[in-house]
């Protein structure tokens, strides 16, 4: 404790220390705040870009499923979904839901026949569902496919 008092009294006698020390502390605080804001903004931008890419990817998959169905080859839909999932390392699964919310096809076999979301609101246009199943780090892109 005595050494802190000694150091403080020496700083108190120096005009340079009285100017430089508060300036350095203020500079460090401002720099820290700027870094925090920049990292937060960058993280939000990255999240937005990932969601936009997911929506575009979902549109491509929906187009492929529609084309496969129109060609009269519904038995190839599981292979198409698995191929699409293999192109994105960040995907857990791709599922096709019936209008009542039951999974008709999925790359995760455990989901077929289940209702992963208890409350599936009717939808007519694509949308992003945050935290499907209560998992905070995940989101789902829901895209209707017309029959």
């Amino acid at each position: 404790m005595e050494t802190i008092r000694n150091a403080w009294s020496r700083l108190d006698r120096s005009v340079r220390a009285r100017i430089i020390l508060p300036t350095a502390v203020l500079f460090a605080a401002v720099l820290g705040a700027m870094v925090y804001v920049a990292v937060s903004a960058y993280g939000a931008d990255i999240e937005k870009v990932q969601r936009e890419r997911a929506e575009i990817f979902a549109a491509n998959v929906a187009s492929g499923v529609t084309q496969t169905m129109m060609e009269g080859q519904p038995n190839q839909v599981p292979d198409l979904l698995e191929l699409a999932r293999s192109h994105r390392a960040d995907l857990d699964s791709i599922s096709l839901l019936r209008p009542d919310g039951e999974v008709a096809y999925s790359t995760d076999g455990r989901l077929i026949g289940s209702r992963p979301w208890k409350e599936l609101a009717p939808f007519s246009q694509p949308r992003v569902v945050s935290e499907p199943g209560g998992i905070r780090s995940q989101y789902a892109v829901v895209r209707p496919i017309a029959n």
Side-chain angles (χ1 to χ4, degrees):
M1 190 69 173
E2 187 62 35
T3 54
I4 295 174
R5 257 190 229 141
N6 247 352
W8 186 255
S9 69
R10 274 190 255 147
L11 286 176
D12 196 31
R13 286 184 256 149
S14 170
V15 174
R16 276 186 266 166
R18 282 192 253 168
I19 294 170
I20 291 174
L21 189 62
T23 303
V25 169
L26 183 62
F27 177 75
V30 168
L31 184 62
M34 287 172 53
V35 167
Y36 175 77
V37 168
V39 168
S40 297
Y42 180 73
D45 286 346
I46 291 296
E47 179 77 18
K48 181 181 175 188
V49 168
Q50 284 179 333
R51 287 179 184 245
E52 288 173 356
R53 284 183 59 206
E55 288 183 51
I56 292 169
F57 188 76
N60 289 336
V61 171
S63 175
V65 168
T66 301
Q67 188 66 32
T68 302
M69 294 293 214
M70 289 178 71
E71 291 174 359
Q73 299 175 347
N75 57 337
Q76 290 191 2
V77 169
D79 294 335
L80 173 71
L81 295 180
E82 187 56 45
L83 179 66
R85 192 199 63 73
S86 69
H87 284 284
R88 294 282 306 262
D90 59 338
L91 284 177
D92 286 341
S93 66
I94 300 175
S95 302
L96 292 182
L97 304 176
R98 293 187 172 100
D100 64 353
E102 184 179 330
V103 177
Y105 297 102
S106 180
T107 56
D108 184 354
R110 298 172 296 164
L111 294 176
I112 296 174
S114 69
R115 286 191 167 82
W117 300 318
K118 302 299 180 210
E119 298 175 17
L120 183 67
F123 55 91
S124 59
Q125 50 188 321
R127 69 172 190 224
V128 176
V129 177
S130 297
E131 301 178 24
I135 301 171
R136 189 168 186 227
S137 64
Q138 292 181 348
Y139 59 91
V141 178
V142 180
R143 180 168 185 87
I145 300 175
N147 282 338

